[in-house]
Amino acid sequence: MDIIGRERELTALRQTIDRAPGGPPNLVLHGDPGVGKSVLLRAAIGYAGERGMRVLGGSGFESEAQLAFAGLHQLFAPVLAYLDRVEPFHRDTLLRVLGMRDGAAPDRLAISVASLAVLAAVAEDGPVLIAVEDAHWVDHPTREVMMFILLRLQPYDLRAVFARRPLTATERVTPGVRMLEVGPLDDEAAGRLLDLLHPGLPPSVRARVLAEAAGNPLAITELPQTSAGVDLLPTGASLRTRLETGFAGRLLELAPRIRTTLLVAALDGDRLHHRAELSPYELQEAERAGLVTRDSTPSGLRFRHPLVRSAIIKTASPEETREAHAVLAEQHQADPELRMWHLAAATVEPDEGVAAEIEKAARAVSLRGGSGLAVKALQRAAELTPAPAARAARLERAAELAGESGQLDLAHTLLDEARRHLDDPARALALRAQILLLRDGDLDAARRLLRGDPGAGALVRVMAASYAQDPEEWAEITKVVAGCGDADAQLLHDVFLGAGTATRVRTALDELPADSPPGRVAALCRAATWMDLLPDYRDRIRALTEGEAGQGAVTHAAGGYWLAAHDHFLAGQWDDAESAANAGLDLCVRHDLELLAHDLRCSLGWIAAARGDADSAREYSRTVEQWAAPRGSGLHLSLVARNLALAAMAHGDYETAYAYWTSISPPGVIPAYVAYAPWAVFELVESAVRTGRTAEAEAHAAAAAPLADRAPRLRLHVMAARALVAPEEEAVPLFKAALALPRTERWPFDHARVRLALGELQRRRLQPGEARPELRRAADLFAAVGATAWRQRAEQELRATGVAVSQRPNAAHGLTAQQLEVARLAASGLSNKEIGERLFLSSRTVSAHLYRIFPKLGITSRAALRDALEDSAVN
């Protein structure tokens, strides 16, 4: 039968399948139930089949939406033989994630890359169409992998067509994904379809059907066939309700045995693999009722429409539904996660055995990046737990996972429920305190809560103390940690106070099992940050950001983005650092994680300050300071001071810089309880020397001497600080010794600043020949990372040695069209917010554009934009 009224949609499908020039090789159909998305998708599959294409994909099922990677299993089940054609690493990754090999689930990037590698191998044997129906029911981890694939189809003989429900108002469309809304048929097409399917209707009935159907093809097909008759259609009900009512009426006319089998199939994800339980006559009865139809799936049948499935489930009694779930739980013995959901739905009375089985499966879900999904399972396990103490423990574990997955209000509710079964134990106190920290940054309330039970939440108390930077609080926590028995809390306590060693941190991370909870991974990676070990554990950071950012432990994913931003910044990858910080900030804003959001704003301010963008650095600092000051978050205030000091130094304002550096750490004193104090040594000493405060500089360099063995980058800073205060004849060898430390170029910005200080010293000593290579190298390093203001300083010093420094390219044609428009608006005096409103961009996106614009134009502030744009226009 021809498809009526869908010429536009069919043309778009053919263009996608034929890989027509100029269009993306993907298409997502979206629209209301019954509007014809499934018909169009089957037409696309038929068109691809006519052209000899292999079709992969499947369908999303509501019953599998909570099973991590169930959709991926559908995608690869027909082509498992191709796993032997890819690299062993990719093969092992997919076998583990598909549950076909033991081992922890790999991080999301590894899964995505391995999936694309297998599909590319399949495409080597001929063109492939990936077709997915009801994509909105595909489990979230699979959706993330599919999105990765959708954006990377171009180089391979692959194309993809998905069908899904309508977009919601809050959903964002990823650039590079082509969306096509399938709307109702127009009046002419709707009339033609009705006349074709139901010829000879009386005019009054025909008019009413068309009015009721409102162009919906399924309604046009089904409404005239409702058992109640067209004249008895409920006038106030929605179209969906009317269609479900019609399907339900036909269902009730079938024999109980057929209804029971269809119910089991509907609860098992719409798949009619249970057809063997029905005789050919019974199958024919279901088909004649218009509930199932034949197709090319392995079972040979499918439900005619998702509304048939929902009608079957709604028509069943609670007892019938429980019995069907019990049947499915028994059938899925080999799949613990799928069995878990059916077992939970089938059980009514408290049963410790069932509750324990659900809890075990929920733990596996959480370790596979599904903390948010595991919460629901644990809630059900608690409901089925007879003993109050065990029920409370399961509710507390559910609350813990809810907190990790950013469901902070739900976490509070679950803790309150747990308390009704058993008085608040230490674990619940720790979680309440953690929520206070993450959501509100309420350090004082968190500390007071935990003081009520000295044995509660040692790790949370250490983290709170690291933000408060209160010496009395640290003294109290030292006593708590000494007897708590929590090795991670003890390690972080020692690292934050300068007593930890790199060996201890490395050992803890190296011995960490692959399936460790994300909270433990995040805590130990934070310790690695202070010991300069983070580059060795980037796979752990990726596991947090990629494996937990969807329906996983988003709290720890946000922390992972902070870790990634920190690591990228030190490595000189500032665009990547900015991207990571912005991604983490978006996650925090969505889940009300205020504390971590301000951590990430500090990171963005750090990047801006290092680039010489003082305006943006001040903007971020003002936001953080207004939030942190009332809460007593000393760490945030220290980082604000760091950013403002660095921005001042970039422009040669050492007096202002000195004031900010000494607010972190007084001259000659490096407080153990101030986390950033050791990392301010070099800059504080340089600011003191530049402002004539020689005694203060010497005192601080001397105080820093014991820090040199704590971490490699800190050794570079301490040795450079010693060189700054040494007599001139001793300073040059000390600088060179600092630069000769192993692998100092791992930190290009730090390395360049030390090299700049050496070149400046040599120039002042009238040694231009020795100064030039140092200054040139510093200028090149600054240029490479995007530190525009620092590069200009290095080039100015080069000119002072007699070298003619050519102007770096700064023509406006080096900007994209959008960057040029942002630059012009900023030059006119508009704020980032005002620019964003004009260009329909977020203020953060505008700020990101300015970060990239300044280095291209060779400037460091908005004030210089007008002249730079005018100069480029002349050139």
Side-chain angles (χ1 to χ4, degrees):
M1 181 186 295
D2 292 335
I3 299 176
I4 295 174
R6 295 301 186 196
E7 291 75 15
R8 178 179 69 102
E9 291 84 353
L10 291 170
T11 298
L13 286 167
R14 294 185 189 111
Q15 288 175 343
T16 298
I17 293 170
D18 292 336
R19 295 288 297 266
N26 62 68
L27 182 66
V28 178
L29 305 170
H30 65 103
D32 292 327
V35 81
K37 304 182 296 296
S38 298
V39 172
L40 289 168
L41 185 65
R42 287 195 292 276
I45 292 171
Y47 183 77
E50 292 171 3
R51 277 148 183 75
M53 295 183 187
R54 182 195 293 267
V55 180
L56 301 175
S59 178
F61 302 121
E62 187 176 3
S63 60
E64 293 188 352
Q66 296 174 326
L67 293 177
F69 299 112
L72 213 61
H73 192 278
Q74 276 195 72
L75 179 65
F76 289 118
V79 290
L80 288 176
Y82 283 85
L83 267 64
D84 292 332
R85 295 197 189 182
V86 299
E87 295 293 329
F89 172 77
H90 294 324
R91 181 168 59 252
D92 177 70
T93 295
L94 282 180
L95 288 175
R96 278 188 285 152
V97 82
L98 294 175
M100 305 172 81
R101 179 172 292 176
D102 291 336
D107 66 67
R108 203 61 49 82
L109 179 61
I111 297 168
S112 301
V113 173
S115 299
L116 183 59
V118 172
L119 289 173
V122 176
E124 289 176 358
D125 286 351
V128 175
L129 169 66
I130 304 169
V132 180
E133 188 170 6
D134 286 335
H136 53 279
W137 286 125
V138 172
D139 61 281
H140 194 277
T142 296
R143 270 187 277 162
E144 290 185 344
V145 174
M146 286 185 169
M147 184 57 67
F148 179 93
I149 293 168
L150 277 183
L151 299 175
R152 292 164 177 82
L153 297 172
Q154 199 71 49
Y156 313 102
D157 202 355
L158 297 165
R159 66 278 292 146
V161 178
F162 288 9
R164 52 153 294 164
R165 66 186 174 193
L167 289 171
T168 64
T170 57
E171 284 185 274
R172 294 183 296 178
V173 177
T174 302
V177 176
R178 183 184 179 190
M179 307 294 295
L180 179 62
E181 183 175 8
V182 182
L185 295 173
D186 60 34
D187 292 344
E188 188 273 333
R192 281 198 292 135
L193 179 61
L194 180 60
D195 293 341
L196 178 67
L197 297 175
H198 304 286
L201 287 177
S204 61
V205 174
R206 182 181 185 277
R208 186 171 179 193
V209 169
L210 290 174
E212 295 280 358
N216 185 289
L218 181 64
I220 292 170
T221 304
E222 300 296 333
L223 287 179
Q225 304 180 79
T226 55
S227 59
V230 174
D231 292 334
L232 298 180
L233 289 173
T235 57
S238 68
L239 180 61
R240 179 188 180 100
T241 300
R242 294 199 296 274
L243 289 170
E244 282 185 340
T245 301
F247 288 132
R250 298 181 212 170
L251 181 72
L252 293 174
E253 296 172 359
L254 298 176
R257 171 182 162 80
I258 301 175
R259 293 203 307 270
T260 299
T261 303
L262 292 179
L263 176 61
V264 171
L267 293 172
D268 198 24
D270 302 348
R271 297 161 298 185
L272 294 176
H273 299 315
H274 305 272
R275 61 175 297 179
E277 301 169 18
L278 296 176
S279 68
Y281 171 77
E282 290 170 324
L283 284 171
Q284 191 176 30
E285 283 294 299
E287 189 176 1
R288 186 181 295 121
L291 300 176
V292 301
T293 185
R294 299 185 183 276
D295 69 358
S296 59
T297 62
S299 69
L301 291 173
R302 61 176 176 82
F303 286 122
R304 186 169 181 186
H305 191 273
L307 289 180
V308 173
R309 175 188 170 278
S310 62
I312 291 170
I313 294 172
K314 287 181 179 180
T315 305
S317 69
E319 181 61 28
E320 289 172 332
T321 302
R322 284 193 294 271
E323 288 176 358
H325 279 297
V327 169
L328 291 169
E330 191 65 26
Q331 289 180 353
H332 290 297
Q333 292 276 2
D335 189 336
E337 290 179 28
L338 189 54
R339 172 176 162 80
M340 169 186 73
W341 298 110
H342 289 301
L343 200 60
T347 309
V348 179
E349 298 296 328
D351 186 319
E352 176 57 31
V354 172
E357 187 172 349
I358 294 173
E359 181 181 25
K360 181 180 178 182
R363 182 178 184 276
V365 171
S366 69
L367 292 177
R368 294 177 67 194
S371 295
L373 301 176
V375 173
K376 297 178 183 178
L378 282 168
Q379 284 180 271
R380 183 61 180 147
E383 291 171 0
L384 298 174
T385 303
R391 179 178 293 188
R394 284 171 178 145
L395 286 169
E396 287 162 6
R397 177 57 181 152
E400 187 177 332
L401 291 177
E404 287 184 352
S405 59
Q407 304 174 77
L408 302 184
D409 290 338
L410 176 60
H412 259 307
T413 301
L414 292 170
L415 287 174
D416 290 340
E417 188 178 345
R419 191 171 186 177
R420 288 197 292 270
H421 298 288
L422 191 69
D423 198 14
D424 227 0
R427 179 173 171 182
L429 277 177
L431 182 53
R432 289 182 190 276
Q434 187 174 21
I435 292 171
L436 284 169
L437 278 178
L438 292 171
R439 185 176 60 192
D440 307 316
D442 196 340
L443 300 175
D444 184 57
R447 286 182 290 178
R448 281 191 283 106
L449 188 64
L450 291 173
R451 284 194 186 108
D453 186 338
L459 184 59
V460 179
R461 294 192 70 173
V462 168
M463 295 304 297
S466 72
Y467 282 98
Q469 298 189 161
D470 181 346
E472 294 181 4
E473 177 73 10
W474 271 119
E476 183 179 327
I477 293 214
T478 298
K479 296 176 185 176
V480 171
V481 169
C484 73
D486 186 335
D488 293 343
Q490 291 170 347
L491 178 59
L492 259 75
H493 167 275
D494 293 348
V495 167
F496 289 154
L497 291 182
T501 64
T503 300
R504 279 180 65 193
V505 176
R506 192 181 291 279
T507 299
L509 277 163
D510 289 345
E511 294 179 354
L512 198 61
D515 61 351
S516 294
R520 190 166 183 224
V521 175
L524 293 180
C525 283
R526 189 172 281 259
T529 303
W530 298 110
M531 307 305 296
D532 277 337
L533 300 175
L534 212 50
D536 297 333
Y537 299 98
R538 286 171 178 157
D539 58 331
R540 292 287 192 178
I541 300 174
R542 282 197 301 273
L544 290 174
T545 57
E546 295 164 7
E548 304 296 341
Q551 294 190 24
V554 297
T555 299
H556 302 309
Y561 281 118
W562 178 83
L563 293 166
H566 187 93
D567 181 45
H568 286 312
F569 179 88
L570 295 182
Q573 300 158 350
W574 289 358
D575 286 349
D576 292 337
E578 180 191 348
S579 296
N582 274 320
L585 185 55
D586 285 341
L587 195 63
C588 290
V589 169
R590 288 202 303 272
H591 294 280
D592 294 326
L593 302 173
E594 283 292 305
L595 184 83
L596 297 174
H598 285 88
D599 285 351
L600 290 155
R601 289 187 178 102
C602 287
S603 296
L604 289 165
W606 194 19
I607 299 165
R611 283 171 163 159
D613 182 3
D615 291 340
S616 294
R618 281 192 290 268
E619 187 177 331
Y620 282 118
S621 296
R622 186 163 47 249
T623 301
V624 174
E625 189 172 19
Q626 288 171 351
W627 181 87
R631 291 165 174 78
S633 180
L635 176 59
H636 285 113
L637 295 175
S638 292
L639 297 177
V640 164
R642 171 200 67 187
N643 296 347
L644 294 173
L646 190 59
M649 289 180 71
H651 296 282
D653 184 359
Y654 285 96
E655 192 66 48
T656 298
Y658 180 78
Y660 282 124
W661 290 125
T662 53
S663 72
I664 299 173
S665 178
V669 179
I670 304 175
Y673 57 86
V674 179
Y676 197 76
W679 303 99
V681 166
F682 174 56
E683 289 89 350
L684 191 154
V685 170
E686 183 177 13
S687 299
V689 169
R690 295 277 193 166
T691 56
R693 295 177 172 92
T694 305
E696 290 86 343
E698 290 174 348
H700 207 68
L707 302 174
D709 294 330
R710 187 181 298 183
R713 190 166 66 94
L714 199 51
R715 185 176 301 117
L716 172 66
H717 285 213
V718 170
M719 291 180 67
R722 281 182 55 205
L724 284 169
V725 299
E728 286 192 354
E729 62 276 7
E730 299 176 18
V732 171
L734 285 172
F735 271 125
K736 289 185 175 181
L739 291 168
L741 289 170
R743 300 174 65 193
T744 58
E745 293 207 12
R746 284 179 296 175
W747 314 295
F749 185 55
D750 302 73
H751 180 99
R753 283 185 293 134
V754 175
R755 202 169 280 280
L756 174 62
L758 171 58
E760 289 172 332
L761 172 64
Q762 290 171 324
R763 186 191 63 76
R764 289 196 304 272
R765 295 187 68 195
L766 303 179
Q767 297 174 324
E770 289 80 357
R772 286 170 191 145
E774 306 297 345
L775 295 171
R776 169 52 64 196
R777 180 61 179 146
D780 289 343
L781 286 171
F782 287 136
V785 299
T788 307
W790 292 91
R791 172 181 61 76
Q792 290 176 344
R793 282 185 49 190
E795 290 177 347
Q796 184 178 349
E797 289 288 328
L798 263 176
R799 293 188 189 94
T801 66
V803 174
V805 180
S806 59
Q807 184 70 29
R808 292 178 184 260
N810 64 352
H813 60 69
L815 307 179
T816 66
Q818 190 170 74
Q819 286 175 343
L820 185 57
E821 187 63 22
V822 168
R824 287 171 176 161
L825 292 173
S828 71
L830 295 182
S831 68
N832 287 0
K833 182 179 180 181
E834 291 168 332
I835 296 170
E837 289 172 350
R838 290 201 182 190
L839 300 180
F840 301 100
L841 303 171
S842 71
S843 57
R844 282 204 301 276
T845 301
V846 173
S847 180
H849 278 314
L850 288 172
Y851 285 153
R852 292 171 174 81
I853 289 167
F854 287 174
K856 288 183 178 182
L857 295 180
I859 59 175
T860 60
S861 70
R862 301 166 84 102
L865 269 172
R866 185 186 299 274
D867 291 340
L869 290 173
E870 288 177 355
D871 290 345
S872 63
V874 171
N875 294 335

